[in-house]
Amino acid sequence: MKRVAVLYNDDGDLLTKGASDDRLAWDGGPAVGREVAGALERRGFRAYEVPCGSEIKSLVDRLERLNPDIVFNVCESFEGESRLEAEVASLLEVLRIPFAGNDPLALGIAHDKARCKELLKGCGLPVAEWRVFSAGTLTADLAGLAPPFIVKPRCEDGSHGLTARSVCNSTDEALAMAAETSAIWRQDCLIEEFLPGREFNVGVLFKNLVLPPSEIAYELPAGLPNLVTFEAKWVRGSVYDRGTPVRIPAENVAERLAEQLRSLALAAWRALGCRDYARIDLRLDAAGDPRILEVNPNPDISPDAGLARAAEKAGIPYDELIAGIADCAFARAGGR
Amino acid sequence: MGGTAIRIGIAYDLKTDYQGIAPSTGPDDLLEEYDSPETVEAIADALGECGHIPVRLGGGRAFLERMLAEPVDLVFNTAEGWGTRSREAQVPALCELLHIPYTHSGSLTLAISLDKAMTKRIASANGIRTPEFVCVEDLEELDAVALPTFPLMVKLAGEGSSMGIGSRSRCANIRELQEAAAELLRQYSGAVIIERFLPGVEVTVLVMGNGAARVVGMMEIAPRLGSIREFVYSLEVKRNYRSRVEYHAPPRLSGPAIAAIAETALETYCAMACRDIARVDIRIDADGTASLIEVNPLPGLHPEDGDVPIMCRHLGIPYARLIGEIVAHAEARL
């Protein structure tokens, strides 16, 4: 029987920054690990849930003892630090254990939103214009950028640091918000032109199977900006949770737009050299043309998260999705 | 240097570590990126000369086990890693996970720089000039893409140390290009990049420091025979550098040209978030402008043959001072 270690982040008490509510997002690790392991077991694999917490030696020893054929890597952080996500993947490379999920380079680039935007722009792909607000000098030159702006931490995932106040209508407001955000998150911020149009998520699977787009169908009270805030993602029943239903698949998407979304998602996937699974977020600009917001090479892959639901609607049930991703890693392992 | 003596672990991957793993039928430069024992010994001696205690850690698994057993104060990183496009990120990643400071750039910068196409794209998004190029994974793709104007250079997208670069890397026409690209795709894994060949002077620039990074020196690489207009600093030329090339440090260029090269090198160093040291390769275009060819944040440090040590000899910088300065920059992170 093929043996798979499902590696997930377990860092409940390790949170060192952000606001107190930000803890909510980190409780997701063990739950995802359990779901993935369950799906693998149902598909005839022998699955082991392996937490990745704060200690390398015990993790290495555990993997050594298990000696799995592959690791299914859904680990998003180490010691509560999402910046170490790619480093955990590098550890698997050093241990020479083939793994499902994206490689350190794709994870590293996507995690640094400025780097990712530079790469996409350098590939000639459309992104929202942006500047980096330096946490060192507490400045950014916003010349050439038009309001409204959105301010986000440069290197955080899962909508951390995003609230209704992240959308700013003037340069002064954006700079003040960036100073506040960079102090809380102890890092640079991105100040980006806030795109006014519809928002889509496009999943890409396996080698390069593009799923139909999903849409965040904003229904927020007047005065609140259309944005997937931290609250929208993690606080059940909150105003933002209720106001950001996801349509899977998206409705009323003209054929031309569908094709644009599809080809941009695939181009972004290729630009980072993604594999196995990723989710690409896009938004329409004032002219109605899609631009790439973010690439998520390690998106939430629980059954109730967007990617798995989009796959299901496209005819790939959860267990098949998970087994298919594992098979990608087995194919690479065989080719070594 | 002064300061107190610290234990500095040297991370390295020797050619001999991989001779059993690499296919024996592959090209003879498959292990070109890896270190020779002389490099490790020279670094160890230099660290000792600077008053530090060198510890030989190796790379990969051995490095991890030694670090878990007895951590050092600082890692001096020259390890290439093995097997993947992110290989140079492996030792920095382990250091990050173990909270051990290390010399040279962070994991992401090292992994990106190993991919020439990705580096060029990020550089151009930062407004840095670099020759037009396309990246192809197979010959069908080559037939389909719109090529820049000939002559063109064809190189492996994901390899350092001049691997795969030979006299036939410069292609004057489509037939030569198809042959050279086919050869690279057959012998190596991964994509090739095809970029416009720049006919001007080739210069390699040593940049060091953090915050206030500076150009330490630059060196022109000129052919002993033949014209610069067709010169390729190939692996064969590099291996026989004493008979094939002339080095000029400083380059035989005008003040403004030198200033333009320095500016491009510094912009690249900052844009790529390099730390401590990097070697930036630049070539002059027909119109006299400086263009980025590639950046090497983990430059070869062989005491005799490495481009940076060669440059330092021309500049009168002893090897131990070069190593000591890398460590001094990294020590700020202790």
Side-chain angles (χ1 to χ4, degrees):
Chain A
M1 195 184 282
K2 288 177 173 173
R3 295 148 47 80
V4 183
V6 181
L7 186 65
Y8 62 90
N9 49 294
D10 184 11
D11 33 26
D13 295 327
L14 298 165
L15 194 56
T16 55
K17 61 184 177 188
S20 57
D21 281 351
D22 286 304
R23 183 174 302 276
L24 290 166
W26 275 281
D27 293 339
V32 180
R34 204 156 45 239
E35 294 288 358
V36 170
L40 289 168
E41 289 274 346
R42 289 190 293 274
R43 292 288 298 217
F45 296 92
R46 182 76 190 88
Y48 304 85
E49 290 166 51
V50 178
C52 178
S54 59
E55 226 261 305
I56 287 300
K57 179 131 183 26
S58 58
L59 175 61
V60 169
D61 288 347
R62 178 86 197 274
L63 288 171
E64 199 97 294
R65 274 198 311 277
L66 281 175
N67 189 26
D69 296 306
I70 65 160
V71 161
F72 197 117
N73 183 30
V74 295
C75 188
E76 293 180 37
S77 60
F78 179 74
E79 297 176 324
E81 290 274 2
S82 66
R83 70 176 182 86
L84 296 175
E85 179 186 41
E87 320 303 30
V88 172
S90 282
L91 172 68
L92 296 174
E93 287 195 356
V94 170
L95 297 175
R96 304 227 178 124
I97 307 174
F99 61 96
N102 276 288
D103 75 350
L105 182 52
L107 293 172
I109 290 174
H111 186 65
D112 181 341
K113 296 185 212 279
R115 203 43 111 207
C116 189
K117 288 174 74 91
E118 286 170 352
L119 175 61
L120 296 173
K121 185 181 176 185
C123 290
L125 298 170
V127 293
E129 278 303 319
W130 82 100
R131 300 286 186 276
V132 172
F133 176 90
S134 159
T137 63
L138 296 179
T139 53
D141 178 7
L142 298 187
L145 250 56
F149 305 108
I150 173 161
V151 176
K152 22 178 142 162
R154 176 172 176 165
C155 299
E156 292 298 333
D157 306 319
S159 290
H160 282 285
L162 294 185
T163 71
R165 293 176 55 235
S166 305
V167 176
C168 302
N169 288 312
S170 71
T171 300
D172 288 348
E173 202 186 320
L175 291 172
M177 189 62 201
E180 184 182 324
T181 307
S182 69
I184 293 174
W185 292 93
R186 299 182 209 155
Q187 58 186 283
D188 293 348
C189 288
L190 251 56
I191 301 179
E192 200 175 277
E193 285 187 347
F194 183 67
L195 302 178
R198 298 169 70 186
E199 182 167 336
F200 298 95
N201 306 138
V202 181
V204 186
L205 302 178
F206 314 140
K207 286 225 176 290
N208 51 19
L209 172 69
V210 186
L211 297 173
S214 309
E215 179 171 9
I216 317 281
Y218 289 102
E219 295 167 359
L220 287 161
L224 289 182
N226 287 346
L227 177 66
V228 180
T229 59
F230 183 81
E231 203 180 85
K233 224 169 224 171
W234 301 103
V235 185
R236 282 268 153 82
S238 62
V239 173
Y240 261 98
D241 177 35
R242 283 180 280 122
T244 54
V246 185
R247 299 251 186 285
I248 303 175
E251 292 157 17
N252 301 318
V253 178
E255 206 166 301
R256 177 169 170 275
L257 176 58
E259 181 45 40
Q260 283 177 315
L261 293 171
R262 195 193 132 75
S263 70
L264 286 179
L266 200 53
W269 163 278
R270 288 201 172 120
L272 274 74
C274 289
R275 65 187 193 192
D276 298 357
Y277 66 106
R279 196 193 72 226
I280 291 93
D281 300 342
L282 307 100
R283 200 156 184 165
L284 305 191
D285 60 21
D289 290 319
R291 299 198 200 187
I292 301 160
L293 286 185
E294 266 178 45
V295 180
N296 301 284
N298 190 10
D300 185 352
I301 193 151
S302 10
D304 58 350
L307 185 70
R309 286 164 60 202
E312 177 128 43
K313 290 277 172 136
I316 305 168
Y318 189 65
D319 293 0
E320 198 177 305
L321 168 69
I322 299 300
I325 292 167
D327 284 340
C328 292
F330 278 107
R332 284 192 293 273
R336 281 188 309 166
Chain B
M1 297 291 122
T4 44
I6 56 171
R7 279 166 42 87
I8 302 182
I10 310 169
Y12 54 86
D13 290 298
L14 295 180
K15 287 189 176 83
T16 48
D17 291 344
Y18 292 110
Q19 270 159 359
I21 302 174
S24 56
T25 53
D28 79 333
D29 61 357
L30 208 56
L31 297 171
E32 197 65 28
E33 297 175 318
Y34 294 93
D35 290 316
S36 61
E38 299 95 82
T39 307
V40 179
E41 289 318 303
I43 293 169
D45 289 349
L47 292 172
E49 256 183 75
C50 297
H52 300 303
I53 305 148
V55 182
R56 291 162 184 76
L57 295 174
R61 199 53 201 269
F63 172 85
L64 174 61
E65 267 152 29
R66 285 176 190 144
M67 289 283 276
L68 287 172
E70 193 184 359
V72 293
D73 298 312
L74 176 75
V75 167
F76 191 99
N77 180 27
T78 65
E80 285 290 333
W82 177 255
T84 70
R85 65 177 186 150
S86 315
R87 59 190 174 276
E88 285 191 359
Q90 290 167 2
V91 156
L94 295 177
C95 291
E96 294 281 352
L97 293 170
L98 294 164
H99 301 290
I100 306 290
Y102 54 97
T103 65
H104 296 72
S105 298
S107 48
L108 183 57
T109 295
L110 293 185
I112 290 173
S113 305
L114 206 45
D115 186 320
K116 294 186 179 96
M118 216 176 245
T119 302
K120 285 164 68 77
R121 285 172 176 138
I122 290 170
S124 65
N126 279 283
I128 295 162
R129 196 187 297 264
T130 180
E132 312 88 85
F133 76 106
V134 292
C135 193
V136 302
E137 283 174 24
D138 53 49
L139 288 176
E140 282 104 81
E141 224 182 315
L142 178 59
D143 291 334
V145 294
L147 293 169
T149 47
F150 283 95
L152 296 169
M153 273 295 284
V154 55
K155 325 189 254 200
L156 297 165
E159 303 292 348
S161 303
S162 304
M163 273 171 70
I165 298 184
S167 56
R168 303 197 315 154
S169 301
R170 179 183 178 279
C171 306
N173 54 52
I174 187 72
R175 191 184 47 77
E176 287 181 15
L177 175 63
Q178 279 165 340
E179 278 174 21
E183 181 73 8
L184 287 181
L185 290 165
R186 190 176 61 77
Q187 291 219 25
Y188 302 86
S189 59
V192 301
I193 72 165
I194 298 161
E195 79 179 356
R196 190 164 62 80
F197 176 85
L198 303 188
V201 171
E202 172 142 349
V203 176
T204 190
V205 185
L206 174 60
V207 184
M208 294 186 80
N210 304 305
R214 68 186 181 98
V215 171
V216 173
M218 51 177 86
M219 178 168 85
E220 174 188 348
I221 298 157
R224 275 194 194 277
L225 291 171
S227 159
I228 185 68
R229 298 188 61 82
E230 293 177 3
F231 174 65
V232 175
Y233 194 32
S234 66
L235 183 60
E236 191 211 342
V237 168
K238 210 170 257 193
R239 280 177 175 172
N240 300 292
Y241 69 91
R242 286 187 176 87
S243 61
R244 301 287 294 276
V245 290
E246 293 175 356
Y247 294 116
H248 299 277
R252 301 166 298 176
L253 292 167
S254 70
I258 299 260
I261 292 168
E263 190 185 341
T264 301
L266 275 175
E267 278 173 4
T268 303
Y269 189 91
C270 295
M272 298 303 293
C274 293
R275 287 195 320 216
D276 304 342
I277 180 172
R279 205 193 73 221
V280 186
D281 297 341
I282 285 172
R283 198 152 172 162
I284 304 296
D285 205 345
D287 64 1
T289 55
S291 277
L292 171 69
I293 301 298
E294 65 179 278
V295 52
N296 194 339
L298 209 56
L301 291 173
H302 188 282
E304 292 297 318
D305 304 339
D307 280 334
V308 167
I310 290 173
M311 189 194 310
C312 287
R313 277 206 298 281
H314 282 263
L315 298 168
I317 300 171
Y319 187 78
R321 205 171 103 207
L322 168 69
I323 301 299
E325 195 170 325
I326 297 171
V327 170
H329 288 303
E331 274 183 304
R333 295 190 292 276
L334 279 178

